Amino acid sequence: MPSRAAVAAPPAGDRLVRVAERLLRMIGDARTGLVLLLLAGVANALAALLPDGPARIDGLPYAILLGAVALTGVAAVAVRSPTVWREWRRPTPVQAGAGTLRLLAAAATPDEVERSLQAAGYRVRREERRGRWAVHGVRRGWSRFAGLVSHLALVVIVLGAAIGAAFGSETVFSLLRGDQALLDTPRSGFASAVRLERLDAEFGTDARPLRLDTTVTFLRDGQPVRDAVLRVNEPGEFDGYLVHPWTYGPAVRLRVTTLGGSPLLDAAVPLDETRDGVPVGGAELPTAGVTLGLALTDADRNELGVSVVGAGGLVDTARLVPGEATRVGDLRVELNGFDAWVTFMSRRDPGLLILFGGAVGLCAALAVAFWLPRRRVTARPSGGGLELLLRGERFDRPADELERVGRILGARE
């Protein structure tokens, strides 16, 4: 004969359901979601501040964190949706207590109360029991669905970020005037490119840039498609890629020959490094067995310092201004002028529109929830009159709404 404990024990399936329900409610709890969002915010802040920060959010831990944020959003919707639907379709009683406003109105019949509340925009339900009655109403009950939409919007934002991380790309490259480069890693069939035409810069008296206009030509299959002027915070878009001018710097146009006139170099050389606050660069001359060291020694005069370094060390130095040519060691160096180089960042993010769509949905849902909050009311007889109990959301104290409903029903105090 089975023991009383064995008879009273619930089936294993019921226990599993209760455990799953408790777990779902814990995951969907707003406090859990808030903690996870704060952790994600801290991770993104560190990624923005630390030199190697971006690499830290490309790993598995950050992906798990984003997945947990999405899971809390889905769980919150699953937990709250049935209750929100029931409260909207069948208004529930408002209980007296903290956050509930109370008002006495003139006595009225249940039919009169129903008609008045319906005229005030409430969905109503009459409840009668043992000779007593009450009318419960809800106004803008659908606005609570906006709160659920905000949870789903977070899921969409996470999805957009995940798609961008998984399928997006980011390429950084530097170009001199007239140079071109592909917008992404070279692969078969990919031929979207950009060519640098010129950089127009203007600076104020404090040396801060007033204008940095980068003129480029976008190409497809080697053929120009269109020109564009890229500015700070105004990237160009081409074939699904956003192209940003990222950094820039000076370059020098040099012609280098042997003393016999044999050409060794005729091109622009970027001064893409800085030493003691001075832009510097260099060029290898393998056929001559030396290296040219270049430095912008005087920016006001556009004076260029040139040094020739061989296997045994420094060979010779000289200084030039545009249009000059001089002998440096066994080389003849001619400075034809100054130019500029620009570093571009090309980014393709297929999840960007999804992410922005989620952000717009989140803002819209929060606007509805805060500006059009749900209101609940219960009207019931009390001491020869009518007692009104009205309640808003936690962030809302709808005193004006209570006065409006009271006027409709004939408030007496």
Side-chain angles (χ1 to χ4, degrees):
M1 181 175 181
S3 66
R4 181 177 299 177
V7 172
D14 292 346
R15 292 198 302 271
L16 183 61
V17 168
R18 286 198 292 271
V19 170
E21 184 178 354
R22 285 197 296 269
L23 181 61
L24 186 64
R25 290 186 178 278
M26 182 183 69
I27 295 174
D29 190 280
R31 291 167 294 186
T32 303
L34 180 60
V35 170
L36 292 174
L37 285 175
L38 289 176
L39 290 176
V42 170
N44 282 280
L46 292 176
L49 296 175
L50 297 178
D52 60 342
R56 294 175 180 267
I57 62 174
D58 289 338
L60 182 60
Y62 186 71
I64 294 175
L65 177 59
L66 291 184
V69 172
L71 183 60
T72 58
V74 174
V77 173
V79 169
R80 293 175 175 80
S81 291
T83 302
V84 172
W85 176 260
R86 286 195 302 269
E87 289 183 352
W88 180 35
R89 302 306 297 179
R90 287 180 56 81
T92 55
V94 177
Q95 305 296 335
T100 300
L101 303 182
R102 181 176 179 271
L103 184 69
L104 291 179
T109 65
D111 292 336
E112 291 173 339
V113 173
E114 281 193 42
R115 287 194 298 268
S116 297
L117 290 179
Q118 287 173 345
Y122 283 81
R123 178 188 293 273
V124 299
R125 179 176 69 89
R126 186 193 301 186
E127 186 178 46
E128 295 179 318
R129 183 180 301 172
R130 297 179 181 178
R132 298 185 60 83
W133 61 270
V135 177
H136 313 298
V138 61
R139 183 176 180 226
R140 294 197 294 252
W142 47 265
S143 72
R144 292 204 71 193
F145 285 101
L148 302 182
V149 171
S150 67
H151 292 290
L152 293 179
L154 286 175
V155 176
V156 173
I157 290 173
V158 171
L159 179 63
I163 291 175
F167 303 104
S169 63
E170 186 174 282
T171 306
V172 177
F173 51 88
S174 296
L175 297 179
L176 294 163
R177 189 169 55 129
D179 290 347
Q180 66 184 51
L182 292 174
L183 298 180
D184 206 339
T185 305
R187 61 180 183 272
S188 177
F190 181 76
S192 300
V194 63
R195 182 173 67 214
L196 174 63
E197 303 296 350
R198 66 179 181 273
L199 172 66
D200 297 322
E202 181 181 352
F203 298 87
T205 56
D206 58 355
R208 300 178 68 177
L210 302 176
R211 178 172 59 88
L212 294 172
D213 294 348
T214 306
T215 303
V216 300
T217 298
F218 290 111
L219 307 100
R220 187 183 300 117
D221 297 323
Q223 300 300 315
V225 176
R226 63 180 177 86
D227 296 333
V229 177
L230 312 183
R231 299 182 176 90
V232 177
N233 298 325
E234 295 183 20
E237 191 279 330
F238 185 68
D239 286 353
Y241 290 83
L242 283 179
V243 182
H244 303 257
W246 195 14
T247 59
Y248 68 97
V252 291
R253 295 194 302 273
L254 293 179
R255 176 175 171 79
V256 182
T257 64
T258 64
L259 296 180
S262 299
L264 299 175
L265 175 69
D266 190 359
V269 179
L271 306 180
D272 51 2
E273 297 182 11
T274 302
R275 185 177 303 153
D276 298 328
V278 176
V280 298
E284 297 283 345
L285 301 177
T287 56
V290 296
T291 299
L292 281 183
L294 308 171
L296 183 58
T297 54
D298 191 336
D300 293 333
R301 297 184 60 241
N302 285 337
E303 184 181 76
L304 180 71
V306 181
S307 59
V308 177
V309 180
L314 181 65
V315 176
D316 197 3
T317 64
R319 294 193 177 190
L320 300 167
V321 295
E324 286 187 349
T326 188
R327 175 177 174 174
V328 188
D330 292 332
L331 306 176
R332 183 178 183 277
V333 180
E334 179 181 355
L335 176 59
N336 294 322
F338 280 82
D339 212 325
W341 57 270
V342 179
T343 296
F344 294 89
M345 181 170 65
S346 171
R347 181 172 178 81
R348 177 179 176 272
D349 190 346
L352 191 62
L353 290 179
I354 297 175
L355 190 149
F356 280 156
V360 170
L362 177 62
C363 293
L366 292 178
V368 170
F370 283 111
W371 291 99
L372 298 172
R374 179 194 63 161
R375 304 282 172 72
R376 296 168 55 220
V377 66
T378 288
R380 61 192 180 191
S382 176
L386 190 68
E387 181 185 42
L388 292 179
L389 298 174
L390 190 139
R391 189 180 185 91
E393 299 294 354
R394 294 179 181 178
F395 54 84
D396 179 37
R397 285 199 49 94
D400 293 340
E401 175 69 7
L402 182 63
E403 293 179 5
R404 186 180 76 91
V405 175
R407 286 194 303 269
I408 294 174
L409 291 172
R412 70 184 188 190
E413 65 175 61

